Amino acid sequence: MAGARAAIRYAKATLSLASDQNTADAVNDDMTLIANTIAESKDLKDAIISPVVTSSIKKSILLEVFKNANKTTLSLIDILIANNRVDILGDVASKFNTLYDQSKGIELATVTTAIALTPDLEKKVLAKAKELTGKDVAVKNIIDESILGGFILRIGDVQYNASIANQLNKLKREFILN
């Protein structure tokens, strides 16, 4: 819980600094890369949360992996290492992305499908989501084969479940009740 609050604070401060320096777009790209890299690389995640790995080694690892990052992003990494909070870097990056999208008026729509969205279908989802929210929407596709087919669209706290698994469950409940 304390780590989540700290991540939000670091993300807000970084967004404020990046906005003041007109580098918010570049830093957002860096934060997306950082969040995805840490989420996908178990070795990197283990290295930055390990109490055995020294701060200087963590810093050299991160600076090597993210050597093309913006100066503001590199400053964030330095601050997190200096404050012994580098273990929350992935959370800070995710929170930064969320705050950045909110500042730009972009809503995140999560679409869960059994297979990856095609570009044509993604355009249709974007159009429908924009129509529903009245805001620009970014789509995140999650693949979950257990839904069998169809999709689950989640925008903010609203969810529309048009999955085959959901329809089968409804039928099952109707048969049980009747």
Side-chain angles (χ1 to χ4, degrees):
M1 182 68 149
R5 285 196 306 255
I8 291 171
R9 288 185 185 126
Y10 281 108
K12 282 181 181 179
T14 305
L15 179 60
S16 176
L17 180 63
S19 296
D20 291 347
Q21 296 175 345
N22 294 322
T23 59
D25 294 335
V27 174
N28 185 54
D29 293 342
D30 290 345
M31 293 299 168
T32 302
L33 176 66
I34 289 170
N36 291 339
T37 304
I38 291 173
E40 292 170 7
S41 174
K42 183 180 179 335
D43 291 338
L44 179 60
K45 188 176 198 171
D46 289 345
I48 64 173
I49 66 171
S50 174
V52 177
V53 179
T54 65
S55 293
S56 60
I57 293 174
K58 290 177 185 181
K59 181 176 181 176
S60 64
I61 290 170
L62 290 170
L63 293 180
E64 183 61 32
V65 172
F66 305 114
K67 60 184 164 205
N68 296 326
N70 186 285
K71 187 174 78 169
T72 305
T73 305
L74 296 175
S75 295
L76 171 65
I77 291 171
D78 285 341
I79 290 169
L80 289 173
I81 288 181
N83 294 338
N84 290 324
R85 298 308 301 263
V86 74
D87 58 317
I88 64 169
L89 178 60
D91 292 336
V92 173
S94 296
K95 300 293 184 197
F96 182 95
N97 291 141
T98 303
L99 292 170
Y100 177 82
D101 287 346
Q102 287 174 353
S103 74
K104 296 291 184 184
I106 299 171
E107 188 81 31
L108 179 64
T110 305
V111 181
T112 305
T113 54
I115 58 172
L117 283 177
T118 64
D120 185 45
L121 190 56
E122 187 173 332
K123 286 179 188 174
K124 289 179 183 176
V125 169
L126 281 170
K128 187 64 174 174
K130 185 168 183 166
E131 177 185 317
L132 291 171
T133 62
K135 297 180 178 179
D136 287 333
V137 178
V139 173
K140 177 182 178 186
N141 185 211
I142 298 173
I143 299 170
D144 180 3
E145 294 175 2
S146 70
I147 69 168
L148 304 177
F151 64 92
I152 301 170
L153 175 64
R154 184 171 185 85
I155 304 171
D157 59 354
V158 178
Q159 178 172 303
Y160 177 70
N161 191 339
S163 67
I164 302 297
N166 185 50
Q167 293 171 9
L168 290 172
N169 283 334
K170 284 181 184 177
L171 276 173
K172 181 180 176 182
R173 282 192 296 263
E174 284 183 29
F175 283 132
I176 291 172
L177 293 176
N178 292 331

